[in-house]
Amino acid sequence: MPYRVRSASSVLALLVVCTVWELAVRLLNVPRYILPAPSAIALTIVKYRDHLLLNLFDTLLTSTLGLALAAVFSLALSTVLAYSSSIREAIYPLLSGFNAIPRAALVPLLALWFGLGMVPRVLTAFLIAFFPILVPTLTAMVTIEKELWEMLVAFGATKAQILTKVAIPRATPYFLSSLHMGLTSAIVGSVIAEMVASDRGIGYVILSSTSRLDTPLAFSCLLLLALTTFAISKTLGLIERRVVRWAYRAGL
Amino acid sequence: MGNYLIKLRDVEVRYNNRNGGLVAITGINLTVSPGEVVGIVGRSGCGKTTLLKVIAGLVKPTRGEVIYNGSQDGGGFRGIGMLFQSPLLLPWRTVLRNILLPIELRGEDLDKYVGRALELMERMGLKGFEDSYPWELSGGMQQRVALCRALIHRPSLLLLDEPFGSLDAITREEMWVLLQGAISYENYTTILVTHDIREAVLLSDRVIVMGGRPGRIKAEIPIPFRRPRSLELQYSREFNDYIAEIRGLLGD
Ligand SMILES: Nc1ncnc2c1ncn2[C@@H]1O[C@H](COP(=O)(O)OP(=O)(O)OP(=O)(O)O)[C@@H](O)[C@H]1O
Ligand SMILES: [Mg+2]
C-alpha cells in the first residue's frame, strides 16, 4: 500500500476505535473511575498539561539516560565478549543468570542503596534495557561466516582487525534495531521504579491518581507515554535507515 | 627443483570431529614453481579445499610440512590472494573500499593503491562502479570485484577455490579470459581448485588429479599449450584428449 493510503487507513481505524469507545461509555453509563471516555481523557490532558509534561519529562529523562547507558555498555561488553571466547564462556552464563532475576524486584534494594533520587530509576531502566541490546549485538558479532573469516585471516588480518572492520559494522544494524526493544524496556524500568520508589515521574502520577480513583488522569499518562515512545521509536527508525542503508538492501 | 615458491612434503591433515578423526588428505607431495598455474581437480569431498587451506596456512598439517620459499630469507613473500565460490564482499563498503581491504589489513597507505585498484577495475570491466555497493552489482560483477580484491596487493600466491562455480557458462568463459589475462599480465603463481575439468585444462600448466577417502594425489598431468590460450583451444582435438584422460582418472 502507498504510504499515504496506509497512514490514512490507520487514522481511520483509530477514529473508529475512539468513536466506539466513546459511544459505549456513554450509552452503557460506565463510571469515569472504571473507564473514562476518550473525550474525558483529552480534557484531562489539557487541564493538567503542565503537571503531566513535567512528569513525562522526568520519566523520559531517566529512561533515555538508562537506555544510553545500556547502549554504550552493551556495545562495549559485546565487543569484549566477541574478542575473547574464554571471557565469553566465563561471563555469559552469569549475564543470563542475572537476566533471570526480575529486575522490578531490585528497585527497593536500589532505593535503599541510592535513595529516592534519579539514580535508582536510571539504574532500573539500564538493568532492564541492557540484555535485549546485548544479545542480538553479540550474536551478530560472533556469527561471521567461516569462509569470510578464513579469507580475512589469509589476507593477514589480526583478530582485532576482524573485530573492528567486520564484526562491529556487521553488528551495527542489529544493535540499532535492538534499541527499539531497549527503549520500551527502559521506559518500563523507569515507570516501575517511579511507582515503587519515587515522588515524581509518570509512574508516580499513575500510582497516586489510581489511588484517588482519578482514572482519567491515569489514562492520560498512558496515552502520553505511548505517544512519546512511539515518536522516539520512529526517530530511531529514521536514523537507522540512514546509518545502515546497506542492511535494508533487499528493500523489504 | 631448486627454484620453487611453495613445497608440500608428505602432508597429512586429520580433522578431529565427534566420531573420532577423519583423514582429509594424506601423503601429499607438491612443489609449485614461481609463475606456475596449477589446477586441482577431484570429486566432491576429496580434500581439495583442505589442501588449499593448508597452503594458505589456515589449517596446520598434522603430519609433514609446508615450506614457503622467500618467507624465511626475507625474499618478500607478499602474502596470499584468495577467491572463493562466493564473493564474500562486505555490503557496507563500496566496491573500491572492498577492493582495498587487503591493503587496509596490511596497514599500508591506501592512497598509493587507489590508482592500481581503478586500473584493475578497468581491466575487469568494472570501470565506473567504484562507488557502487556490492549488492547493486550482478553475481558475475561481484566475483570480478572479489578477483580485484585478491590481486590488489600483488600477492605472491593466488589461491582460487571453485571461483566460477556459481556462474553461468558464458560468464564463466568471460571470467576465464579475464583471469588468464590478470595471471599472465603480472605473472601470478596460481593454484586453482575446480570441478570443471575444462577450466582446469584451459588455464593450468599442470593439472593435479586427486582421489578420495583419504584424499591423495592420483596423477599430475602437464598441459603443454602455451599461455595465454584462446577459448577456441577447447574445441581442438589435443585439448579434448586431455579432458578425456583426466575424466578417466576421476573414475565413475
Ligand atoms: N572443518 C572440518 N572439520 C571436520 N571435517 C572436515 C572439515 N572440513 C572438511 N572436512 C572433511 O574433510 C573432507 C574433505 O573436505 P574438503 O572440503 O577439503 O573437500 P573438497 O574436495 O573441497 O570438496 P568439494 O569439492 O565438495 O568442495 C570431507 O570429508 C569433509 O567432510
Ligand atoms: Mg571444496
PDB file of all heavy atoms in Angstrom, chain B residues 1-7 9 31-34 67-70 73:
ATOM      1  N   MET B   1      64.984 -29.399  -8.605  1.00  0.00           N
ATOM      2  CA  MET B   1      63.938 -28.389  -8.371  1.00  0.00           C
ATOM      3  C   MET B   1      64.432 -27.372  -7.348  1.00  0.00           C
ATOM      4  O   MET B   1      63.973 -27.330  -6.208  1.00  0.00           O
ATOM      5  CB  MET B   1      62.664 -29.066  -7.843  1.00  0.00           C
ATOM      6  CG  MET B   1      61.912 -29.874  -8.868  1.00  0.00           C
ATOM      7  SD  MET B   1      61.063 -28.842 -10.044  1.00  0.00           S
ATOM      8  CE  MET B   1      59.414 -28.867  -9.358  1.00  0.00           C
ATOM      9  N   GLY B   2      65.417 -26.577  -7.717  1.00  0.00           N
ATOM     10  CA  GLY B   2      65.926 -25.587  -6.778  1.00  0.00           C
ATOM     11  C   GLY B   2      64.967 -24.432  -6.618  1.00  0.00           C
ATOM     12  O   GLY B   2      64.754 -23.934  -5.526  1.00  0.00           O
ATOM     13  N   ASN B   3      64.357 -24.049  -7.707  1.00  0.00           N
ATOM     14  CA  ASN B   3      63.551 -22.840  -7.707  1.00  0.00           C
ATOM     15  C   ASN B   3      62.074 -23.158  -7.499  1.00  0.00           C
ATOM     16  O   ASN B   3      61.387 -23.555  -8.420  1.00  0.00           O
ATOM     17  CB  ASN B   3      63.767 -22.126  -9.046  1.00  0.00           C
ATOM     18  CG  ASN B   3      63.166 -20.755  -9.032  1.00  0.00           C
ATOM     19  OD1 ASN B   3      62.905 -20.203  -7.975  1.00  0.00           O
ATOM     20  ND2 ASN B   3      62.935 -20.214 -10.210  1.00  0.00           N
ATOM     21  N   TYR B   4      61.618 -22.990  -6.295  1.00  0.00           N
ATOM     22  CA  TYR B   4      60.200 -23.235  -6.044  1.00  0.00           C
ATOM     23  C   TYR B   4      59.658 -22.130  -5.156  1.00  0.00           C
ATOM     24  O   TYR B   4      60.410 -21.453  -4.458  1.00  0.00           O
ATOM     25  CB  TYR B   4      60.001 -24.596  -5.377  1.00  0.00           C
ATOM     26  CG  TYR B   4      60.593 -24.683  -3.988  1.00  0.00           C
ATOM     27  CD1 TYR B   4      59.833 -24.347  -2.873  1.00  0.00           C
ATOM     28  CD2 TYR B   4      61.920 -25.090  -3.802  1.00  0.00           C
ATOM     29  CE1 TYR B   4      60.373 -24.410  -1.607  1.00  0.00           C
ATOM     30  CE2 TYR B   4      62.452 -25.145  -2.534  1.00  0.00           C
ATOM     31  CZ  TYR B   4      61.683 -24.803  -1.440  1.00  0.00           C
ATOM     32  OH  TYR B   4      62.215 -24.843  -0.185  1.00  0.00           O
ATOM     33  N   LEU B   5      58.358 -21.967  -5.206  1.00  0.00           N
ATOM     34  CA  LEU B   5      57.732 -20.964  -4.347  1.00  0.00           C
ATOM     35  C   LEU B   5      57.177 -21.628  -3.102  1.00  0.00           C
ATOM     36  O   LEU B   5      57.260 -21.112  -1.993  1.00  0.00           O
ATOM     37  CB  LEU B   5      56.600 -20.253  -5.095  1.00  0.00           C
ATOM     38  CG  LEU B   5      55.905 -19.169  -4.282  1.00  0.00           C
ATOM     39  CD1 LEU B   5      56.787 -17.940  -4.207  1.00  0.00           C
ATOM     40  CD2 LEU B   5      54.561 -18.818  -4.877  1.00  0.00           C
ATOM     41  N   ILE B   6      56.609 -22.812  -3.313  1.00  0.00           N
ATOM     42  CA  ILE B   6      55.990 -23.498  -2.188  1.00  0.00           C
ATOM     43  C   ILE B   6      56.161 -24.995  -2.366  1.00  0.00           C
ATOM     44  O   ILE B   6      56.124 -25.499  -3.485  1.00  0.00           O
ATOM     45  CB  ILE B   6      54.497 -23.088  -2.078  1.00  0.00           C
ATOM     46  CG1 ILE B   6      53.923 -23.479  -0.738  1.00  0.00           C
ATOM     47  CG2 ILE B   6      53.682 -23.696  -3.190  1.00  0.00           C
ATOM     48  CD1 ILE B   6      52.732 -22.663  -0.396  1.00  0.00           C
ATOM     49  N   LYS B   7      56.427 -25.655  -1.268  1.00  0.00           N
ATOM     50  CA  LYS B   7      56.669 -27.087  -1.351  1.00  0.00           C
ATOM     51  C   LYS B   7      55.932 -27.782  -0.204  1.00  0.00           C
ATOM     52  O   LYS B   7      56.033 -27.374   0.949  1.00  0.00           O
ATOM     53  CB  LYS B   7      58.172 -27.351  -1.235  1.00  0.00           C
ATOM     54  CG  LYS B   7      58.578 -28.793  -1.455  1.00  0.00           C
ATOM     55  CD  LYS B   7      60.077 -28.950  -1.235  1.00  0.00           C
ATOM     56  CE  LYS B   7      60.837 -28.780  -2.535  1.00  0.00           C
ATOM     57  NZ  LYS B   7      62.292 -29.014  -2.383  1.00  0.00           N
ATOM     58  N   ARG B   9      55.557 -31.369   1.770  1.00  0.00           N
ATOM     59  CA  ARG B   9      56.261 -32.630   1.905  1.00  0.00           C
ATOM     60  C   ARG B   9      55.461 -33.579   2.784  1.00  0.00           C
ATOM     61  O   ARG B   9      55.254 -33.293   3.968  1.00  0.00           O
ATOM     62  CB  ARG B   9      57.654 -32.387   2.494  1.00  0.00           C
ATOM     63  CG  ARG B   9      58.635 -33.446   2.029  1.00  0.00           C
ATOM     64  CD  ARG B   9      60.064 -32.995   1.908  1.00  0.00           C
ATOM     65  NE  ARG B   9      60.500 -32.073   2.938  1.00  0.00           N
ATOM     66  CZ  ARG B   9      61.578 -31.288   2.803  1.00  0.00           C
ATOM     67  NH1 ARG B   9      62.288 -31.324   1.704  1.00  0.00           N
ATOM     68  NH2 ARG B   9      61.936 -30.484   3.775  1.00  0.00           N
ATOM     69  N   THR B  31      55.159 -29.523  -5.397  1.00  0.00           N
ATOM     70  CA  THR B  31      56.055 -28.380  -5.498  1.00  0.00           C
ATOM     71  C   THR B  31      55.501 -27.428  -6.549  1.00  0.00           C
ATOM     72  O   THR B  31      55.135 -27.864  -7.632  1.00  0.00           O
ATOM     73  CB  THR B  31      57.459 -28.833  -5.916  1.00  0.00           C
ATOM     74  OG1 THR B  31      57.889 -29.827  -4.988  1.00  0.00           O
ATOM     75  CG2 THR B  31      58.433 -27.677  -5.896  1.00  0.00           C
ATOM     76  N   VAL B  32      55.399 -26.183  -6.198  1.00  0.00           N
ATOM     77  CA  VAL B  32      54.872 -25.187  -7.133  1.00  0.00           C
ATOM     78  C   VAL B  32      55.967 -24.177  -7.442  1.00  0.00           C
ATOM     79  O   VAL B  32      56.550 -23.589  -6.529  1.00  0.00           O
ATOM     80  CB  VAL B  32      53.631 -24.477  -6.548  1.00  0.00           C
ATOM     81  CG1 VAL B  32      53.080 -23.465  -7.544  1.00  0.00           C
ATOM     82  CG2 VAL B  32      52.560 -25.489  -6.168  1.00  0.00           C
ATOM     83  N   SER B  33      56.263 -24.006  -8.728  1.00  0.00           N
ATOM     84  CA  SER B  33      57.309 -23.063  -9.130  1.00  0.00           C
ATOM     85  C   SER B  33      56.725 -21.665  -9.282  1.00  0.00           C
ATOM     86  O   SER B  33      55.529 -21.516  -9.527  1.00  0.00           O
ATOM     87  CB  SER B  33      57.901 -23.479 -10.473  1.00  0.00           C
ATOM     88  OG  SER B  33      58.210 -24.847 -10.453  1.00  0.00           O
ATOM     89  N   PRO B  34      57.566 -20.647  -9.170  1.00  0.00           N
ATOM     90  CA  PRO B  34      57.073 -19.282  -9.357  1.00  0.00           C
ATOM     91  C   PRO B  34      56.480 -19.112 -10.752  1.00  0.00           C
ATOM     92  O   PRO B  34      57.048 -19.593 -11.728  1.00  0.00           O
ATOM     93  CB  PRO B  34      58.326 -18.416  -9.198  1.00  0.00           C
ATOM     94  CG  PRO B  34      59.309 -19.262  -8.500  1.00  0.00           C
ATOM     95  CD  PRO B  34      59.000 -20.680  -8.835  1.00  0.00           C
ATOM     96  N   ILE B  67      56.494 -25.614   3.054  1.00  0.00           N
ATOM     97  CA  ILE B  67      57.622 -24.689   3.072  1.00  0.00           C
ATOM     98  C   ILE B  67      57.389 -23.586   2.056  1.00  0.00           C
ATOM     99  O   ILE B  67      57.168 -23.854   0.874  1.00  0.00           O
ATOM    100  CB  ILE B  67      58.939 -25.428   2.725  1.00  0.00           C
ATOM    101  CG1 ILE B  67      59.082 -26.665   3.619  1.00  0.00           C
ATOM    102  CG2 ILE B  67      60.130 -24.509   2.884  1.00  0.00           C
ATOM    103  CD1 ILE B  67      59.996 -27.713   3.029  1.00  0.00           C
ATOM    104  N   TYR B  68      57.412 -22.354   2.522  1.00  0.00           N
ATOM    105  CA  TYR B  68      57.305 -21.211   1.623  1.00  0.00           C
ATOM    106  C   TYR B  68      58.709 -20.719   1.340  1.00  0.00           C
ATOM    107  O   TYR B  68      59.446 -20.385   2.260  1.00  0.00           O
ATOM    108  CB  TYR B  68      56.527 -20.068   2.262  1.00  0.00           C
ATOM    109  CG  TYR B  68      55.144 -20.438   2.685  1.00  0.00           C
ATOM    110  CD1 TYR B  68      54.915 -20.992   3.935  1.00  0.00           C
ATOM    111  CD2 TYR B  68      54.064 -20.216   1.843  1.00  0.00           C
ATOM    112  CE1 TYR B  68      53.649 -21.338   4.339  1.00  0.00           C
ATOM    113  CE2 TYR B  68      52.790 -20.550   2.231  1.00  0.00           C
ATOM    114  CZ  TYR B  68      52.589 -21.115   3.480  1.00  0.00           C
ATOM    115  OH  TYR B  68      51.333 -21.443   3.872  1.00  0.00           O
ATOM    116  N   ASN B  69      59.055 -20.672   0.087  1.00  0.00           N
ATOM    117  CA  ASN B  69      60.342 -20.106  -0.256  1.00  0.00           C
ATOM    118  C   ASN B  69      60.186 -18.598  -0.286  1.00  0.00           C
ATOM    119  O   ASN B  69      59.240 -18.076  -0.843  1.00  0.00           O
ATOM    120  CB  ASN B  69      60.782 -20.606  -1.630  1.00  0.00           C
ATOM    121  CG  ASN B  69      62.251 -20.348  -1.862  1.00  0.00           C
ATOM    122  OD1 ASN B  69      62.970 -19.988  -0.930  1.00  0.00           O
ATOM    123  ND2 ASN B  69      62.680 -20.520  -3.084  1.00  0.00           N
ATOM    124  N   GLY B  70      61.134 -17.914   0.333  1.00  0.00           N
ATOM    125  CA  GLY B  70      61.039 -16.465   0.301  1.00  0.00           C
ATOM    126  C   GLY B  70      60.514 -15.898   1.589  1.00  0.00           C
ATOM    127  O   GLY B  70      60.806 -14.761   1.934  1.00  0.00           O
ATOM    128  N   ASP B  73      63.862 -16.318   3.967  1.00  0.00           N
ATOM    129  CA  ASP B  73      65.012 -15.484   3.658  1.00  0.00           C
ATOM    130  C   ASP B  73      64.626 -14.026   3.394  1.00  0.00           C
ATOM    131  O   ASP B  73      65.404 -13.251   2.845  1.00  0.00           O
ATOM    132  CB  ASP B  73      65.798 -16.049   2.470  1.00  0.00           C
ATOM    133  CG  ASP B  73      64.939 -16.111   1.216  1.00  0.00           C
ATOM    134  OD1 ASP B  73      63.795 -15.650   1.283  1.00  0.00           O
ATOM    135  OD2 ASP B  73      65.422 -16.602   0.194  1.00  0.00           O
TER     136      ASP B  73
END
